[in-house]
Amino acid sequence: MPSEPHTPEAKRTELRNNFETVQTFLSVLGFPILDPLPTEEEADREQTKLYCRGRGADATGEYTEDGLVVFEGSVASLETTPRASERVEQRRQNLLADGVLEKKEDQLVFRENHAFSSPSPASETILGRSSNGWKEWKDGNGNSLHDLERQ
């Protein structure tokens, strides 16, 4: 008795082609939900890795045309500041509930790569306060994302 169902190679090829077509259509329409997220290794190779550091936080990520991807293993501050908006606290709670963030001792750790719609929600989540992600995310030379992308 086989351990998995047999699918003919021709059928697998047809399904792969259908998936790629749907993936392309969604991306063209502005919904790249099936596109793979960049990895930290790719960012290292392309020298596009960014850093967001602060009080108890040390995160790495990459800016893409769809927003900012925070890489697995990045560390976010455990506590939010008293002046952090409710939006920041809610986003962090949602990521904890979804299993994207995990509490480990005195920090929050990203369990997987996670895409944010823009740099600011990413930096706010990591730093636990309101922030301008265009200024908080920097490359290895200390250049802000604003300086790298907007000038």
Side-chain angles (χ1 to χ4, degrees), residues 95-109:
L95 291 173
L96 279 164
D98 292 343
V100 174
L101 281 176
E102 178 180 37
K103 183 179 177 186
K104 288 188 177 178
E105 298 175 16
D106 62 342
Q107 58 192 14
L108 297 176
V109 179

Side-chain angles (χ1 to χ4, degrees), residues 94-138:
N94 289 344
L95 291 173
L96 279 164
D98 292 343
V100 174
L101 281 176
E102 178 180 37
K103 183 179 177 186
K104 288 188 177 178
E105 298 175 16
D106 62 342
Q107 58 192 14
L108 297 176
V109 179
F110 280 80
R111 295 182 56 209
E112 59 191 47
N113 291 354
H114 184 74
F116 289 88
S117 60
S118 69
S120 293
S123 65
E124 291 174 343
T125 300
I126 290 160
L127 300 173
R129 62 176 170 81
S130 297
S131 69
N132 180 344
W134 291 97
K135 298 291 183 183
E136 298 288 351
W137 286 97
K138 298 180 179 177

Side-chain angles (χ1 to χ4, degrees), residues 12-33:
R12 281 196 302 248
T13 300
E14 181 184 346
L15 292 171
R16 249 190 312 276
N17 288 339
N18 289 343
F19 176 82
E20 290 170 1
T21 300
V22 170
Q23 182 180 24
T24 301
F25 283 143
L26 287 171
S27 291
V28 168
L29 293 171
F31 301 101
I33 59 174

